[in-house]
Amino acid sequence: MKYKAIVFDLDGVICHTDKYHYLAWKALADKLGIYFDEVINNRLRGVSRMESLEIILERNTGAPLSDEEKVKYATEKNDLYRESLMQMSTADLSDEVKDTLDKLRAMGLKLAIGSSSKNAPLILNRIGLPDYFDAISDGNNIENSKPHPEVFLKAAEYLGLEPEECLVVEDAKAGLEAAIAGGMDCAAIGDAVSSGLGTYNLATFADLLTAVE
Ligand code: BG6
Ligand code: MG
């Protein structure tokens, strides 16, 4: 086996909370009269909440926002986003993802989460995986979000493994950059494939089963 563990990004990899992030940011951008679309949204993948707001504000043609206003609007976005999360259930975890996770575990691999999100524990609860992973490294235990490698290095540390023993799975270019900066191989899925940075490119989540062999 090439690896001892797999560290999964959460939003856009394990489940499709990325669409709820987009809708909540879009509602805020519309309210502020700022242009925002799915192409700009792809730059927010893997990036922290406040850094995401800064990317959206690059298109702000109105008065610059104060730090207080930025915190207020980021909180507003998060409140709307969490309303979507509360609608999620175990039906938002696909059979393909769950079966693949179970098979990877049966192959002897440790499984961890490496997410920039402070909402990761809530999401894992909603999709029925609160205690499934061997380690969770998320937005609550890091100072620097992706492309900084901290979240993945912490995941490896929590697993008691060296970075090079772990494979990262990511839908974000910033996430692939973080894995590479941390000395880890990475598998790109979804939007991240086009960056060309992945050690592997996955057409489907189940393709991981052959990538790790
Ligand atoms: C990442 C998402 O997983 O978490 C980003 O890809 C998001 O889009 C980041 O900004 C932070 O999430 P949260 O839930 O803490 O606002
Ligand atoms: Mg993601």
Side-chain angles (χ1 to χ4, degrees):
M1 191 79 72
K2 291 186 222 165
Y3 307 100
K4 291 191 177 163
I6 307 193
V7 182
F8 296 91
D9 173 50
L10 180 60
D11 295 321
V13 171
I14 297 292
C15 57
H16 288 287
T17 37
D18 48 336
K19 70 179 176 237
Y20 301 131
H21 275 297
Y22 170 71
L23 291 172
W25 282 127
K26 177 75 179 143
L28 178 66
D30 286 351
K31 174 176 153 172
L32 297 177
I34 299 173
Y35 180 78
F36 181 62
D37 62 18
E38 300 215 24
V39 176
I40 300 171
N41 184 63
N42 284 335
R43 291 177 56 208
L44 313 186
R45 291 179 189 272
V47 172
S48 73
R49 196 178 306 160
M50 294 310 291
E51 288 167 310
S52 296
L53 179 60
E54 293 296 343
I55 291 171
I56 289 169
L57 291 175
E58 287 172 9
R59 295 277 191 137
N60 182 23
T61 51
L65 300 188
S66 66
D67 288 348
E68 272 174 16
E69 285 172 316
K70 287 178 187 175
V71 170
K72 182 184 95 173
Y73 288 129
T75 304
E76 222 173 80
K77 177 267 172 179
N78 191 50
D79 290 345
L80 189 58
Y81 174 61
R82 284 175 70 97
E83 277 178 29
S84 305
L85 298 184
M86 295 315 285
Q87 307 301 316
M88 289 179 78
S89 70
T90 52
D92 291 281
L93 176 66
S94 73
D95 290 343
E96 182 199 5
V97 169
K98 183 61 169 61
D99 291 349
T100 304
L101 290 172
D102 288 344
K103 285 179 182 155
L104 291 166
R105 172 159 285 158
M107 289 162 86
L109 287 153
K110 295 267 186 222
L111 307 178
I113 291 290
S115 165
S116 301
S117 175
K118 291 180 164 42
N119 291 299
L122 170 63
I123 296 165
L124 290 170
N125 259 306
R126 299 304 305 176
I127 62 175
L129 299 180
D131 303 314
Y132 185 86
F133 291 93
D134 299 296
I136 296 174
S137 175
D138 65 22
N140 300 295
N141 62 256
I142 53 169
E143 305 275 319
N144 310 286
S145 86
K146 303 164 189 175
H148 194 285
E150 184 179 6
V151 74
F152 294 136
L153 295 177
K154 285 263 169 66
E157 184 189 319
Y158 297 161
L159 290 167
L161 295 173
E162 296 302 322
E164 57 273 19
E165 294 176 309
C166 305
L167 173 71
V168 164
V169 185
E170 263 294 348
D171 72 318
K173 182 171 181 246
L176 298 177
E177 289 168 343
I180 293 164
M184 295 157 146
D185 280 359
C186 48
I189 192 163
D191 184 67
V193 170
S194 63
S195 72
L197 294 175
T199 318
Y200 313 96
N201 289 315
L202 308 178
T204 68
F205 192 86
D207 284 350
L208 257 181
L209 295 168
T210 44
V212 298
E213 268 175 1

